[in-house]
Amino acid sequence: MSKCVFVDSDVLIDVFSGRKPFYEASAYFLEMAENGVFLAFTSPLIIANVYYVLQKFSNKEAAMSSIRKIRTFIGVVDMNQRIVDRAINSSFSDFEDALQIYSAENAVMDIIVTRNIEHFKDSNLSVLSPTEAISVLEK
């Protein structure tokens, strides 16, 4: 049974903007997702944030092309009123991170992959960097 992995925005932005020195590990991680090594998911808010950042790096057309590419191999989990209310009432210092954590938990993800591990330290899920996730998922 494939692992279900929640992908944070930084990993996607690293790849689609070519952000160094993070590009290589994040690109290999996403290549694994594209090849079906695991099932990758993200949230609608992350999709919106990635689009916003990428269009600042290039233009709206290029950003939308990247979003279309992302959607060919990454699913989108639900983000609903219950998740928003949990985030509002949580002790997380970052509201957006709380939304991501509760969306991932609600969708019963196995792992959250991010470079900002510290932001997700209080999650009930395993939180790994792309490099750590590669090691775990290749086994």
Short mmCIF file of all heavy atoms in Angstrom, two decimals, residues 42-66:
data_model
loop_
_atom_site.label_atom_id
_atom_site.label_comp_id
_atom_site.label_asym_id
_atom_site.label_seq_id
_atom_site.Cartn_x
_atom_site.Cartn_y
_atom_site.Cartn_z
N THR A 42 -1.76 17.88 -1.60
CA THR A 42 -1.53 19.18 -1.01
C THR A 42 -2.89 19.82 -0.77
O THR A 42 -3.92 19.19 -1.00
CB THR A 42 -0.61 20.05 -1.91
OG1 THR A 42 -0.11 21.14 -1.15
CG2 THR A 42 -1.31 20.54 -3.16
N SER A 43 -2.91 21.05 -0.30
CA SER A 43 -4.19 21.71 0.00
C SER A 43 -4.49 22.77 -1.06
O SER A 43 -3.60 23.22 -1.78
CB SER A 43 -4.12 22.38 1.38
OG SER A 43 -3.39 23.59 1.31
N PRO A 44 -5.75 23.19 -1.14
CA PRO A 44 -6.09 24.26 -2.08
C PRO A 44 -5.36 25.57 -1.76
O PRO A 44 -4.99 26.30 -2.67
CB PRO A 44 -7.60 24.44 -1.92
CG PRO A 44 -8.04 23.53 -0.85
CD PRO A 44 -6.91 22.68 -0.42
N LEU A 45 -5.12 25.83 -0.49
CA LEU A 45 -4.40 27.04 -0.11
C LEU A 45 -2.96 26.99 -0.60
O LEU A 45 -2.43 28.01 -1.08
CB LEU A 45 -4.44 27.23 1.42
CG LEU A 45 -3.76 28.47 1.96
CD1 LEU A 45 -4.32 29.73 1.32
CD2 LEU A 45 -3.92 28.53 3.48
N ILE A 46 -2.34 25.84 -0.53
CA ILE A 46 -0.97 25.70 -1.03
C ILE A 46 -0.94 25.93 -2.54
O ILE A 46 -0.06 26.62 -3.06
CB ILE A 46 -0.36 24.35 -0.64
CG1 ILE A 46 0.00 24.38 0.85
CG2 ILE A 46 0.86 24.02 -1.48
CD1 ILE A 46 0.51 23.09 1.42
N ILE A 47 -1.90 25.38 -3.25
CA ILE A 47 -1.97 25.59 -4.70
C ILE A 47 -2.04 27.10 -4.98
O ILE A 47 -1.33 27.62 -5.84
CB ILE A 47 -3.19 24.86 -5.32
CG1 ILE A 47 -3.02 23.34 -5.20
CG2 ILE A 47 -3.42 25.30 -6.76
CD1 ILE A 47 -1.99 22.72 -6.09
N ALA A 48 -2.89 27.80 -4.26
CA ALA A 48 -3.03 29.25 -4.45
C ALA A 48 -1.74 29.98 -4.11
O ALA A 48 -1.31 30.89 -4.85
CB ALA A 48 -4.19 29.79 -3.61
N ASN A 49 -1.10 29.61 -3.01
CA ASN A 49 0.15 30.26 -2.61
C ASN A 49 1.26 30.01 -3.61
O ASN A 49 2.05 30.91 -3.92
CB ASN A 49 0.58 29.79 -1.22
CG ASN A 49 -0.30 30.33 -0.12
OD1 ASN A 49 -1.07 31.26 -0.31
ND2 ASN A 49 -0.20 29.73 1.05
N VAL A 50 1.36 28.79 -4.11
CA VAL A 50 2.39 28.46 -5.10
C VAL A 50 2.16 29.28 -6.37
O VAL A 50 3.09 29.86 -6.92
CB VAL A 50 2.41 26.94 -5.39
CG1 VAL A 50 3.27 26.63 -6.61
CG2 VAL A 50 2.92 26.18 -4.17
N TYR A 51 0.91 29.34 -6.82
CA TYR A 51 0.60 30.16 -7.99
C TYR A 51 1.04 31.61 -7.77
O TYR A 51 1.70 32.22 -8.61
CB TYR A 51 -0.90 30.11 -8.31
CG TYR A 51 -1.27 31.11 -9.37
CD1 TYR A 51 -1.07 30.82 -10.72
CD2 TYR A 51 -1.79 32.35 -9.03
CE1 TYR A 51 -1.38 31.76 -11.70
CE2 TYR A 51 -2.11 33.29 -9.99
CZ TYR A 51 -1.90 32.99 -11.32
OH TYR A 51 -2.19 33.91 -12.28
N TYR A 52 0.68 32.17 -6.61
CA TYR A 52 1.00 33.56 -6.31
C TYR A 52 2.51 33.81 -6.36
O TYR A 52 2.97 34.76 -6.98
CB TYR A 52 0.45 33.94 -4.92
CG TYR A 52 0.81 35.33 -4.51
CD1 TYR A 52 0.10 36.42 -5.00
CD2 TYR A 52 1.87 35.57 -3.64
CE1 TYR A 52 0.43 37.72 -4.64
CE2 TYR A 52 2.21 36.86 -3.27
CZ TYR A 52 1.50 37.93 -3.78
OH TYR A 52 1.85 39.21 -3.42
N VAL A 53 3.28 32.93 -5.73
CA VAL A 53 4.74 33.11 -5.70
C VAL A 53 5.33 32.93 -7.10
O VAL A 53 6.17 33.72 -7.53
CB VAL A 53 5.39 32.14 -4.70
CG1 VAL A 53 6.90 32.14 -4.82
CG2 VAL A 53 4.98 32.50 -3.27
N LEU A 54 4.91 31.90 -7.81
CA LEU A 54 5.48 31.63 -9.12
C LEU A 54 5.18 32.74 -10.13
O LEU A 54 6.04 33.08 -10.95
CB LEU A 54 5.00 30.28 -9.66
CG LEU A 54 5.48 29.05 -8.90
CD1 LEU A 54 4.92 27.78 -9.52
CD2 LEU A 54 7.01 28.99 -8.83
N GLN A 55 4.00 33.32 -10.07
CA GLN A 55 3.71 34.39 -11.01
C GLN A 55 4.53 35.64 -10.72
O GLN A 55 4.79 36.44 -11.61
CB GLN A 55 2.21 34.69 -11.10
CG GLN A 55 1.54 35.12 -9.84
CD GLN A 55 1.45 36.63 -9.70
OE1 GLN A 55 1.48 37.36 -10.67
NE2 GLN A 55 1.34 37.09 -8.47
N LYS A 56 5.02 35.77 -9.49
CA LYS A 56 5.93 36.88 -9.17
C LYS A 56 7.32 36.62 -9.78
O LYS A 56 8.01 37.56 -10.16
CB LYS A 56 6.07 37.04 -7.65
CG LYS A 56 4.80 37.48 -6.96
CD LYS A 56 4.50 38.90 -7.27
CE LYS A 56 3.29 39.36 -6.48
NZ LYS A 56 2.84 40.67 -6.88
N PHE A 57 7.74 35.33 -9.84
CA PHE A 57 9.02 34.96 -10.43
C PHE A 57 9.00 35.09 -11.95
O PHE A 57 10.01 35.35 -12.57
CB PHE A 57 9.39 33.50 -10.10
CG PHE A 57 10.00 33.31 -8.75
CD1 PHE A 57 9.27 32.71 -7.73
CD2 PHE A 57 11.29 33.71 -8.48
CE1 PHE A 57 9.82 32.52 -6.49
CE2 PHE A 57 11.86 33.53 -7.24
CZ PHE A 57 11.12 32.93 -6.23
N SER A 58 7.84 34.84 -12.55
CA SER A 58 7.77 34.83 -14.01
C SER A 58 6.55 35.63 -14.48
O SER A 58 6.59 36.84 -14.51
CB SER A 58 7.73 33.39 -14.53
OG SER A 58 6.65 32.68 -13.95
N ASN A 59 5.47 34.92 -14.80
CA ASN A 59 4.24 35.60 -15.22
C ASN A 59 3.06 34.66 -14.94
O ASN A 59 3.25 33.49 -14.57
CB ASN A 59 4.30 36.01 -16.69
CG ASN A 59 4.53 34.83 -17.61
OD1 ASN A 59 3.78 33.85 -17.58
ND2 ASN A 59 5.57 34.92 -18.43
N LYS A 60 1.86 35.15 -15.14
CA LYS A 60 0.66 34.39 -14.80
C LYS A 60 0.54 33.12 -15.64
O LYS A 60 0.13 32.08 -15.14
CB LYS A 60 -0.59 35.25 -14.96
CG LYS A 60 -0.67 36.34 -13.92
CD LYS A 60 -1.90 37.20 -14.09
CE LYS A 60 -1.90 38.26 -12.99
NZ LYS A 60 -3.12 39.04 -12.97
N GLU A 61 0.89 33.20 -16.91
CA GLU A 61 0.78 32.04 -17.79
C GLU A 61 1.74 30.92 -17.35
O GLU A 61 1.36 29.75 -17.30
CB GLU A 61 1.03 32.43 -19.25
CG GLU A 61 -0.02 33.34 -19.84
CD GLU A 61 0.11 34.81 -19.40
OE1 GLU A 61 1.21 35.24 -19.00
OE2 GLU A 61 -0.92 35.51 -19.44
N ALA A 62 2.96 31.30 -17.06
CA ALA A 62 3.96 30.31 -16.62
C ALA A 62 3.55 29.71 -15.28
O ALA A 62 3.70 28.50 -15.05
CB ALA A 62 5.34 30.94 -16.53
N ALA A 63 3.04 30.55 -14.39
CA ALA A 63 2.59 30.06 -13.08
C ALA A 63 1.43 29.08 -13.24
O ALA A 63 1.41 28.02 -12.60
CB ALA A 63 2.19 31.23 -12.19
N MET A 64 0.48 29.40 -14.10
CA MET A 64 -0.66 28.50 -14.31
C MET A 64 -0.21 27.20 -14.97
O MET A 64 -0.72 26.12 -14.63
CB MET A 64 -1.74 29.18 -15.16
CG MET A 64 -3.02 28.38 -15.22
SD MET A 64 -3.74 27.97 -13.59
CE MET A 64 -4.25 29.57 -13.02
N SER A 65 0.76 27.27 -15.84
CA SER A 65 1.31 26.06 -16.45
C SER A 65 1.93 25.16 -15.38
O SER A 65 1.76 23.94 -15.41
CB SER A 65 2.36 26.44 -17.50
OG SER A 65 2.94 25.29 -18.05
N SER A 66 2.61 25.75 -14.43
CA SER A 66 3.20 24.99 -13.32
C SER A 66 2.11 24.35 -12.46
O SER A 66 2.23 23.18 -12.07
CB SER A 66 4.08 25.89 -12.45
OG SER A 66 5.19 26.34 -13.18
#
